[in-house]
């Protein structure tokens, strides 16, 4: 499955070299094998390594060539489903706890970044979530009260306050503090270097063809070797094979446009990340190189289009929307691409053990906050594999239920 098409931005910024030194033969047995070498896989391998386990990562592509290369690198504790909405969906206690997990995940990512040997452009930023229309201003006020009452750092801006800090007028905005941005490709390239240097075996261009459970070990048949492990973790992002069936998740495609570097970000409050209440939503961030990265215009089609002209047309639409927010800037498209992503029906990730296959686990960060979900998911999975109690795992369990559905969400072949 082709996860993206067009001209990607992050590869043009990544000067970190990764030389994969795969052993000629895998170990006779690993404690854990991670399938998928993107952000979810690397974070999971990092956690398992810290548990003292022997770990291998298998990727069907070259590392960094999957969804991570198209990831826009926004890290937020707020989610596509607002806290006030999530409270109605799963109850106050668990909704607040899920938001706390997302907030804690940002700190966890920063701690990991500080252990890495390279700069990965991690920067704390506020996020400005503006009301696309007047009625949404009321929703944002309700959300602000839910966040503030539960001690999440945030502010509520009315129209005049927003226009003071930014060059556009909108009815209101919710500002969340202590969010962050990152260069996702630099992040995993540096992380893979760290993992390899600390004993994690890396195998790229290795496709898993069959799995079984024999003699208390997971047997993985691949196009290159036979692997054995006590546990296996699928961190396969938006790959449909071995993933949730269509009733569990919606696969879509989105578009991203990156401008040429701008001369000044004056009147852009603290280079905040920006998004809006309408759906599908527009979102924006600046980059370390001085460009503006803009995403949106989601479509209910799972395959990233290969039509170059279509991608360029969507880029011009994104450019036009960006120019309407920042009329004082001279903007020009530099890169543009289409990419595949997925959302679960309840807007939460799928993290946990397979319901019937022993020692098979999943970290699937479906939704607009996938990197944060990957961070909290890797922590949960490492606890479960180590035999430690994780009191939050049920919130994102693949077998969870919601009021509108009496059957488990998740189903894996």
């Amino acid at each position: 499955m082709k996860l993206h098409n067009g001209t990607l931005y992050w590869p043009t910024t990544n000067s970190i070299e990764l030389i994969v030194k795969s052993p000629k033969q895998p170990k006779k047995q690993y404690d854990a094998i991670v399938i998928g070498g993107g952000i979810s896989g690397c974070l999971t391998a990092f956690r398992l390594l810290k548990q003292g386990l022997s770990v291998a990562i298998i990727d069907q592509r070259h590392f960094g060539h999957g969804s991570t290369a198209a990831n826009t690198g926004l890290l937020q504790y707020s989610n596509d489903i607002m806290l006030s909405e999530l409270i109605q969906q799963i109850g106050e206690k668990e909704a607040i706890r899920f938001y706390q997990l997302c907030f804690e995940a940002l700190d966890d990512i920063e701690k990991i970044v500080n252990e890495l040997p390279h700069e990965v452009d991690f920067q704390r930023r506020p996020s400005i979530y503006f009301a696309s229309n007047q009625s949404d201003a009321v929703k944002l006020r309700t959300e602000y009260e839910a966040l503030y009452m539960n001690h999440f750092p945030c502010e509520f801006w009315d129209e005049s306050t927003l226009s003071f800090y930014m060059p556009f007028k909108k009815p209101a905005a919710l500002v969340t503090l202590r969010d962050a941005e990152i260069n996702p490709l630099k992040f995993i390239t540096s992380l893979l270097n760290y993992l390899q240097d600390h004993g994690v075996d890396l195998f790229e261009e290795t496709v898993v063809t069959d799995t079984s459970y024999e003699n208390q070990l997971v047997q993985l048949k691949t196009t290159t070797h036979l692997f054995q492990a006590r546990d296996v973790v699928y961190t396969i992002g938006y790959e449909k094979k071995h993933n949730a069936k269509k009733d569990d998740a919606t696969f879509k495609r989105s578009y991203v446009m990156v401008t040429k570097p701008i001369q000044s970000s004056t009147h852009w409050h603290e280079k905040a990340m920006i998004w809006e209440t309408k759906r599908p939503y527009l979102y924006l961030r600046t980059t370390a190189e001085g460009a503006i990265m803009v995403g949106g215009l989601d479509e209910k089609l799972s395959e990233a289009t290969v039509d170059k002209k279509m991608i360029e047309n969507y880029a011009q639409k994104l450019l036009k929307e960006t120019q309407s927010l920042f009329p004082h800037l001279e903007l020009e498209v530099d890169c543009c691409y289409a990419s595949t992503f997925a959302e679960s029906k309840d807007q939460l990730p799928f993290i946990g053990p397979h319901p019937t296959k022993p020692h098979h686990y999943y970290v699937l960060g479906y939704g607009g906050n996938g990197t944060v979900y990957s961070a909290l998911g890797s922590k949960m999975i490492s606890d479960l594999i180590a035999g430690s109690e994780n009191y939050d795992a049920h919130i994102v369990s693949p077998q969870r239920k919601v009021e509108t559905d009496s059957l488990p969400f998740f189903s894996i072949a």
Side-chain angles (χ1 to χ4, degrees):
M1 180 179 176
K2 194 78 185 298
L3 297 173
H4 45 72
N5 285 298
T7 307
L8 296 172
Y9 176 70
W10 298 124
T12 69
T13 71
N14 187 19
S15 59
I16 304 171
E17 186 178 24
L18 172 65
I19 301 174
V20 176
K21 303 169 185 175
S22 303
K24 291 182 179 180
Q25 291 294 328
K27 290 183 175 68
K28 183 177 180 181
Q29 176 186 330
Y30 292 93
D31 292 321
I33 291 177
V34 178
I35 301 176
I39 289 177
S40 298
C42 290
L43 288 172
T44 301
F46 180 88
R47 292 289 184 187
L48 295 170
L49 176 68
K50 292 294 186 179
Q51 294 275 13
L53 305 183
S54 61
V55 183
I57 305 177
I58 296 172
D59 197 291
Q60 67 177 358
R61 300 178 174 87
H62 289 292
F63 289 110
H65 285 220
S67 297
T68 296
N71 185 315
T72 48
L74 284 76
L75 311 177
Q76 300 167 304
Y77 71 79
S78 284
N79 299 280
D80 286 357
I81 183 167
M82 295 191 290
L83 175 60
S84 52
E85 297 170 335
L86 192 59
I87 288 171
Q88 297 299 314
Q89 180 172 288
I90 65 174
E92 185 174 33
K93 180 180 177 182
E94 293 189 348
I96 292 169
R97 181 56 186 151
F98 179 72
Y99 259 63
Q100 288 171 340
L101 291 171
C102 292
F103 188 77
E104 292 167 5
L106 288 164
D107 288 338
D108 290 338
I109 292 171
E110 185 170 23
K111 290 174 184 175
I112 293 170
V113 164
N114 290 336
E115 286 196 50
L116 298 182
H118 308 93
E119 170 61 47
V120 299
D121 301 334
F122 178 93
Q123 291 287 335
R124 291 286 186 168
R125 303 280 189 214
S127 293
I128 298 173
Y129 188 27
F130 69 75
S132 303
N133 53 58
Q134 192 64 49
S135 62
D136 284 348
V138 178
K139 294 180 182 178
L140 287 186
R141 182 75 198 190
T142 300
E143 179 67 0
Y144 163 73
E145 291 171 357
L147 292 172
Y148 181 79
M149 291 296 292
N150 288 287
H151 312 293
F152 292 103
C154 60
E155 298 174 358
F156 183 81
W157 291 355
D158 59 16
E159 182 177 344
S160 62
T161 305
L162 177 59
S163 62
F164 176 80
Y165 286 111
M166 301 298 289
F168 54 84
K169 285 189 176 182
K170 297 294 177 181
L174 169 64
V175 181
T176 51
L177 308 174
R178 298 289 297 164
D179 288 337
E181 66 186 27
I182 200 167
N183 182 319
L185 190 55
K186 283 186 178 181
F187 182 40
I188 71 153
T189 307
S190 188
L191 191 46
L192 284 162
N193 274 300
Y194 177 96
L195 293 169
Q196 186 168 243
D197 289 345
H198 287 78
V200 174
D201 288 344
L202 306 181
F203 297 89
E204 56 185 3
E205 295 188 287
T206 300
V207 181
V208 177
T209 57
D210 190 29
T211 67
S212 60
Y213 187 69
E214 302 170 19
N215 302 319
Q216 297 186 317
L217 290 173
V218 179
Q219 313 286 330
L220 293 177
K221 290 182 180 179
T222 77
T223 51
T224 60
H225 304 290
L226 175 65
F227 295 83
Q228 293 189 121
R230 193 184 67 203
D231 297 286
V232 61
V233 187
Y234 286 87
T235 60
I236 47 181
Y238 305 135
E239 297 286 354
K240 285 188 175 182
K241 187 178 181 181
H242 302 300
N243 245 349
K245 292 182 180 178
K246 65 180 181 179
D247 292 339
D248 308 316
T250 302
F251 285 78
K252 299 181 180 180
R253 73 182 180 201
S254 187
Y255 296 87
V256 174
M257 177 275 295
V258 186
T259 70
K260 292 184 177 180
I262 57 176
Q263 295 302 311
S264 171
S265 57
T266 302
H267 208 33
W268 185 324
H269 178 67
E270 296 184 9
K271 297 183 180 178
M273 298 175 291
I274 301 167
W275 56 316
E276 63 178 333
T277 54
K278 78 173 184 181
R279 296 294 186 269
Y281 57 81
L282 184 78
Y283 60 94
L284 306 88
R285 58 161 291 187
T286 58
T287 72
E289 297 75 30
I292 301 174
M293 177 173 279
V294 188
L297 305 177
D298 302 351
E299 298 177 312
K300 293 181 179 179
L301 298 167
S302 63
E303 299 289 336
T305 179
V306 297
D307 188 330
K308 182 180 178 181
K309 189 66 176 177
M310 179 182 290
I311 294 172
E312 291 173 350
N313 288 340
Y314 274 82
Q316 288 300 318
K317 291 179 183 179
L318 291 171
L319 182 69
K320 184 177 180 180
E321 291 203 43
T322 307
Q323 197 74 73
S324 71
L325 294 173
F326 296 94
H328 65 292
L329 298 178
E330 294 184 10
L331 303 178
E332 186 178 351
V333 175
D334 187 20
C335 301
C336 54
Y337 57 91
S339 61
T340 296
F341 74 102
E343 298 173 325
S344 65
K345 290 196 294 183
D346 63 351
Q347 302 293 307
L348 300 180
F350 293 122
I351 299 164
H354 190 282
T356 60
K357 290 185 177 181
H359 298 271
H360 286 63
Y361 298 86
Y362 298 85
V363 179
L364 302 176
Y366 288 176
N369 210 9
T371 302
V372 169
Y373 294 166
S374 296
L376 69 88
S378 64
K379 200 172 184 178
M380 285 182 181
I381 291 299
S382 66
D383 284 347
L384 294 173
I385 286 177
S388 303
E389 189 75 34
N390 188 296
Y391 297 100
D392 304 311
H394 66 284
I395 300 173
V396 292
S397 168
Q399 301 179 72
R400 65 182 180 267
K401 299 177 183 179
V402 295
E403 292 179 2
T404 57
D405 195 341
S406 60
L407 298 175
F409 265 94
F410 198 52
S411 157
I412 296 243

